Amino acid sequence: MTANIVADNYKRNIDDIIFGKMMVRSYGMQAEARILIIDENKNVVVDNYNSYVDRKLDNAEVRSSLEGTPKSGIYENKVLQLTVPITSNYATANEIIGIVLISYSLDQVNESINDMKNDIIKISSIALIISLILTTISATSITRSIRALAIGVEKLTSGQLGYTIKHRAKGEEGKLINTFNDMSEKLNRIEKHRKTMINSISHELRTPLTSISALIDSLLIGNNGKETYDEYLRDIKGEAERMGNLVKYLMESIKLEEMTLNLKDENLSDIIYDSVKLIAPYANKKDVIINTNIEENLIIKCDKDKIHEVFLNLIENAIKYRDINEEQSYVYITLKKDINNISIIIEDNGVGIDHEKLNKIFNRGFRVLDDTLTKTDGYGIGLFIVKNIIDRHNWNISIDSTKGIGTIFKIEIF
Ligand code: ADP
């Protein structure tokens, strides 16, 4: 660029040698370079350092430019030489009347490159040290987390359920430790629940077993008439049935804990009809009339078997807890679709439940035990199962009941 400007200025003021010298000196200072103007005979005409004036210069760059091609070259890695031809405006087209040669010392550039090299080495060394420190820190923290987890797993396998890892960590290790602690706590809860259950099962089973054993002992002593045998055997059968119910209760409890839903589009109306059909013989036996008002073909996403179980439980209860003093016991079942929801109502004119007991009605093991009900078999798990299944479907169940009047269960699907 500088060479071209110098060439241009020179040829425009070719007759003014003083201007030429001043111009070359000024550009030379600006570019911190040596600038020579050489005529077509390779003689130096202007040199901003003066020492080359009138000397002949003949090298590859000079020759190339005199033939019309600018050229550059580097000498001993220290000097950059660049030449451009000066073409005359007055002479015939493109006649070369001289050249501009700029020689530039690369010392400074080399120095800068060396400085840069040094900087790069310094920066890389610092980065290496920092990354080494970080790797060591994170490796130590990972090792600590893994050690803490290994201890945790050992504690769990040795039976110390509920063991929590106190070590705090961030990121993925932290998440792993939290998951471990959650798992340990859950295992502990399951184990505690299992122990309580085994305790109550043993307790519940011991009572009928003791009575059966006592009844058999009495029969074995002495000569008993047929009547005594009949009576004792009836009692033994009663106790055996109690045990049967208990086993059923246990199986239901286990089933509930393992419950997973199989959701599909199902015809809800048909599920209700099927449940009524299945329970009809029991209703007949107990002289209860079942009335239905069911909107046909309502398709809904649900677990067919579980919802079937819900209706069986609710309808069975409505029959089981009928009021024997009523002239006629009824169960009314309604399925209807409103704008915002679908509702199923199961209503009976049975014995009803005290208002203050209603808030506990869906609890596991809750039974309304009073004189009228002590003879009715059950373990208070039916409604607990019903509530669980309805909750899992994200539906809603509510109860309204008045003692001596009857009970209404309402399931809402939004
Ligand atoms: P279970 O019938 O085995 O005792 P449930 O969980 O089905 O257990 O019912 C819990 C209690 O709620 C019953 O013991 C009964 O007292 C009361 N109950 C349930 N349904 C009705 C109903 N339709 N009418 C009156 N009482 C009811």
Side-chain angles (χ1 to χ4, degrees):
M1 168 96 153
T2 309
N4 282 325
I5 296 169
V6 171
D8 200 43
N9 274 327
Y10 182 76
K11 81 179 165 195
R12 270 198 269 135
N13 301 281
I14 192 133
D15 300 325
D16 191 347
I17 192 73
I18 307 289
F19 172 83
K21 281 185 179 172
M22 298 288 287
M23 188 259 304
V24 163
R25 194 170 300 158
S26 143
Y27 277 111
M29 264 162 67
Q30 264 180 44
E32 292 182 11
R34 181 167 201 169
I35 302 178
L36 308 177
I37 291 177
I38 299 166
D39 67 13
E40 66 268 38
N41 301 317
K42 300 173 188 160
N43 289 322
V44 175
V45 188
V46 181
D47 171 10
N48 60 338
Y49 287 10
N50 279 329
S51 55
Y52 267 39
V53 175
D54 290 338
R55 278 173 61 179
K56 205 175 182 94
L57 216 65
D58 190 358
N59 62 22
E61 283 79 31
V62 172
R63 279 194 301 276
S64 166
S65 268
L66 280 176
E67 278 161 21
T69 319
K71 193 170 162 60
S72 63
I74 292 175
Y75 290 88
E76 293 169 1
N77 242 347
K78 282 187 173 166
V79 181
L80 168 75
Q81 252 188 34
L82 182 128
T83 56
V84 291
I86 308 169
T87 46
S88 166
N89 284 343
Y90 309 110
T92 49
N94 290 333
E95 191 193 342
I96 294 164
I97 53 167
I99 60 166
V100 175
L101 183 149
I102 294 190
S103 107
Y104 185 77
S105 161
L106 291 179
D107 280 355
Q108 225 179 333
V109 176
N110 286 338
E111 237 171 64
S112 305
I113 290 175
N114 281 341
D115 283 354
M116 227 157 82
K117 267 193 208 158
N118 287 340
D119 283 352
I120 288 172
I121 291 172
K122 265 189 225 156
I123 292 168
S124 324
S125 316
I126 293 171
L128 187 73
I129 292 168
I130 292 175
S131 74
L132 269 175
I133 294 172
L134 286 179
T135 316
T136 320
I137 290 172
S138 76
T140 330
S141 99
I142 289 174
T143 323
R144 252 190 244 140
S145 303
I146 289 177
R147 211 178 301 137
L149 276 164
I151 294 172
V153 172
E154 251 171 50
K155 298 272 183 198
L156 282 196
T157 41
S158 70
Q160 213 174 309
L161 300 180
Y163 175 84
T164 45
I165 298 174
K166 300 276 180 311
H167 176 73
R168 293 271 147 257
K170 284 187 186 137
E172 295 303 314
E173 301 149 50
K175 270 191 214 157
L176 199 62
I177 290 177
N178 286 345
T179 315
F180 173 90
N181 286 343
D182 284 351
M183 179 190 75
S184 175
E185 201 212 327
K186 220 173 259 172
L187 283 175
N188 195 28
R189 238 184 299 136
I190 293 172
E191 179 60 10
K192 269 192 188 153
H193 179 63
R194 194 181 66 87
K195 278 185 186 153
T196 338
M197 218 155 135
I198 289 176
N199 267 344
S200 46
I201 294 165
S202 338
H203 178 81
E204 291 283 336
L205 282 176
R206 226 185 7 242
T207 327
L209 277 175
T210 318
S211 358
I212 289 174
S213 162
L215 286 164
I216 294 174
D217 279 347
S218 328
L219 281 181
L220 289 174
I221 302 166
N223 280 333
N224 301 299
K226 187 180 175 304
E227 263 173 38
T228 324
Y229 265 105
D230 282 353
E231 192 195 330
Y232 280 30
L233 284 177
R234 257 194 306 275
D235 289 347
I236 290 173
K237 186 171 182 270
E239 290 304 301
E241 272 171 4
R242 235 155 72 83
M243 280 170 66
N245 275 333
L246 185 60
V247 171
K248 189 176 149 210
Y249 164 80
L250 291 175
M251 284 168 72
E252 299 283 15
S253 294
I254 291 162
K255 232 170 48 190
L256 207 59
E257 257 147 39
E258 291 167 353
M259 184 167 71
T260 47
L261 295 184
N262 178 19
L263 294 175
K264 281 194 197 130
D265 278 337
E266 305 283 3
N267 188 327
L268 189 62
S269 324
D270 285 353
I271 302 178
I272 300 182
Y273 281 133
D274 284 351
S275 314
V276 172
K277 206 165 112 191
L278 208 75
I279 213 147
Y282 178 58
N284 278 340
K285 195 173 150 197
K286 301 291 175 190
D287 201 17
V288 177
I289 294 175
I290 302 179
N291 284 318
T292 54
N293 179 11
I294 290 173
E295 204 165 308
E296 301 291 326
N297 296 322
L298 267 185
I299 306 296
I300 203 93
K301 206 176 239 11
C302 67
D303 184 317
K304 188 179 173 182
D305 293 339
K306 302 278 179 333
I307 294 303
H308 198 240
E309 201 175 332
V310 165
F311 294 136
L312 284 180
N313 259 306
L314 293 177
I315 306 169
E316 192 193 337
N317 273 352
I319 300 168
K320 194 157 76 173
Y321 301 108
R322 71 197 172 282
D323 189 347
I324 43 166
N325 300 319
E326 269 308 318
E327 218 170 278
Q328 177 62 62
S329 295
Y330 287 103
V331 180
Y332 301 94
I333 304 170
T334 316
L335 168 66
K336 60 175 184 203
K337 188 175 178 358
D338 293 326
I339 309 168
N340 295 323
N341 69 347
I342 291 174
S343 55
I344 307 139
I345 295 163
I346 297 166
E347 185 175 353
D348 63 58
N349 62 343
V351 291
I353 305 161
D354 267 343
H355 272 280
E356 63 264 28
K357 287 181 179 155
L358 286 181
N359 58 342
K360 287 198 197 129
I361 205 77
F362 292 112
N363 290 359
R364 188 201 281 262
F366 181 80
R367 303 203 68 218
V368 182
L369 288 176
D370 63 20
D371 293 346
T372 54
L373 295 172
T374 38
K375 287 199 187 76
T376 317
D377 291 324
Y379 275 90
I381 195 163
L383 290 183
F384 178 69
I385 294 173
V386 165
K387 176 89 168 96
N388 255 274
I389 295 174
I390 296 296
D391 283 353
R392 290 279 183 100
H393 279 79
N394 283 326
W395 299 354
N396 187 51
I397 183 162
S398 55
I399 179 172
D400 191 11
S401 186
T402 312
K403 205 153 166 56
I405 303 283
T407 305
I408 305 170
F409 280 96
K410 185 174 184 186
I411 297 172
E412 286 166 292
I413 306 166
F414 298 101

